[in-house]
Amino acid sequence: MLTLLRLLEDGRFHSGQAIGDALCISRNAVWKQVQRLESELGIALNRVRGRGYQLASPLVLLNDAVLRDKGLSDIWPFHIYESLDSTSVEATRLVAKGVEPPFLVLSERQTSGRGRRGRIWQSPFGVNVYSSLVLRVQKGARQLEGLSLVVGLAVMRALRASGLNEAGLKWPNDILVGGKKIAGILLELTGDPADVCHVVVGVGVNVNMANAEGIEQPWTSMKLELQRMVDRNEFICVLNRQLHGYLSRHAELGFAAFQEEWESNHLWQGCEVMLASGTQRIEGMVLGIDRVGALRLSVSGVEQRFSGGEISLRLRDDRRA
Ligand code: BTN
């Protein structure tokens, strides 16, 4: 199917005969592949008698040669897949097979994309960025302090460098534009923290997604904000340059060096919020974060600190569940 998509990527009409010749298959087999593109990958096609098939909307596929040419392989090795359950799950499988970190896993789609707090991360084919970076944890727990917040800063900078000047952060590591989520981060540890251990840095960015069903929170995408298609290969390189820079400085300096930068980009600084952790609900005002990235809330005038992956935060006036 990928060969057929590469042929159609130019956005022009291709006759069934021409596609059949290029793929060395019959016209009937072409028709079947077109059906599969639509049913399995959700890709809409225009069919016009006498002209053939054309993509209904433009598509820019991940391209190994283009990514190399733009310098991604100089940052860290990468692996591209057409379809995965989850780039983070595949990253863990590669670690188990002995692939040496750091390395990056990219996929055109995920069939079981994982979000925070057990949520599903919508991962349609060919429109967004689904990426997992594996790093070796060498300095124990200190290396992990504030790591997901620093990744958030890197993603935010990549979005701003791509024209989304209003991108900002929401504790712990959501990236929002105009109050809507545009990117999410999920860190997962693999191995034995007392021995050899790796962290999988999963990043999902809504790049060219224009519609989606079943996302429980307000969302947006780079395309919706910029009103144009975004070149995913280019954005992946911008993102990974930022990640490399931020992660290197974090490894060297620790999280405290980023506390101020993070707070000055926190969209909910000073806001009244409601924090949910399991069945617990706590109302307070955001004071900021501490030197390890924990949230500082003023609760009835007393400062309290919160950290942990299962916590969610809402503006107090937002009545959604
Ligand atoms: C969130 O819920 O905000 C975190 C979303 C993280 C999604 C990314 S997409 C790439 C990587 N693979 C996954 O299965 N999840 C992360």
Side-chain angles (χ1 to χ4, degrees), residues 196-212:
V196 183
C197 171
H198 300 95
V199 59
V200 180
V201 179
V203 177
V205 183
N206 298 335
V207 180
N208 290 318
M209 189 157 75
N211 46 58

Side-chain angles (χ1 to χ4, degrees), residues 65-118:
V66 170
L67 286 168
R68 272 174 210 289
D69 203 44
K70 289 180 184 285
L72 185 62
S73 44
D74 301 334
I75 306 175
W76 28 59
F78 65 92
H79 307 261
I80 302 180
Y81 296 78
E82 186 182 329
S83 179
L84 283 175
D85 43 2
S86 151
T87 52
S88 294
V89 173
E90 176 63 12
T92 310
R93 283 192 290 258
L94 291 177
V95 170
K97 281 185 195 157
V99 178
E100 278 296 313
F103 64 85
L104 183 69
V105 177
L106 300 164
S107 183
E108 289 287 11
R109 73 161 174 170
Q110 300 184 117
T111 52
S112 305
R114 309 209 295 210
R116 283 183 64 226
R117 300 165 60 236

Side-chain angles (χ1 to χ4, degrees), residues 247-304:
L247 292 172
S248 309
R249 276 181 284 139
H250 178 254
E252 191 189 333
L253 306 169
F255 181 70
F258 298 90
Q259 186 181 354
E260 208 180 295
E261 180 185 352
W262 199 94
E263 280 185 345
S264 62
N265 289 290
H266 191 206
L267 296 165
W268 290 9
Q269 201 71 10
C271 292
E272 296 289 338
V273 294
M274 196 191 61
L275 180 143
S277 176
T279 53
Q280 218 187 359
R281 300 280 178 274
I282 298 160
E283 291 192 354
M285 191 193 71
V286 177
L287 297 173
I289 52 168
D290 69 8
R291 292 172 71 78
V292 294
L295 182 72
R296 295 164 48 231
L297 274 192
S298 168
V299 182
S300 310
V302 178
E303 181 176 324
Q304 290 189 24

Side-chain angles (χ1 to χ4, degrees), residues 105-236:
V105 177
L106 300 164
S107 183
E108 289 287 11
R109 73 161 174 170
Q110 300 184 117
T111 52
S112 305
R114 309 209 295 210
R116 283 183 64 226
R117 300 165 60 236
R119 286 187 164 147
I120 288 170
W121 187 258
Q122 295 275 355
S123 310
F125 185 92
V127 286
N128 294 330
V129 166
Y130 319 114
S131 115
S132 295
L133 173 68
V134 183
L135 303 169
R136 187 189 296 277
V137 180
Q138 275 155 334
K139 295 187 188 163
R142 259 217 80 207
Q143 192 184 336
L144 301 172
E145 272 174 12
L147 182 62
S148 71
L149 280 75
V150 168
V151 172
L153 272 172
V155 177
M156 181 199 79
R157 293 280 175 216
L159 288 167
R160 291 201 189 155
S162 307
L164 284 144
N165 303 324
E166 286 168 32
L169 303 165
K170 177 196 150 195
W171 189 89
N173 47 26
D174 284 351
I175 294 92
L176 310 182
V177 175
K180 300 174 191 165
K181 185 154 165 173
I182 195 163
I185 293 159
L186 181 69
L187 261 56
E188 292 169 281
L189 274 183
T190 85
D192 178 358
D195 189 18
V196 183
C197 171
H198 300 95
V199 59
V200 180
V201 179
V203 177
V205 183
N206 298 335
V207 180
N208 290 318
M209 189 157 75
N211 46 58
E213 276 163 28
I215 301 185
E216 291 165 27
Q217 55 202 130
W219 65 273
T220 188
S221 69
M222 295 177 76
K223 182 182 179 185
L224 290 175
E225 296 300 322
L226 296 169
Q227 295 292 301
R228 62 170 171 81
M229 277 278 288
V230 173
D231 179 340
R232 289 185 303 145
N233 294 301
E234 174 64 29
F235 179 69
I236 286 170

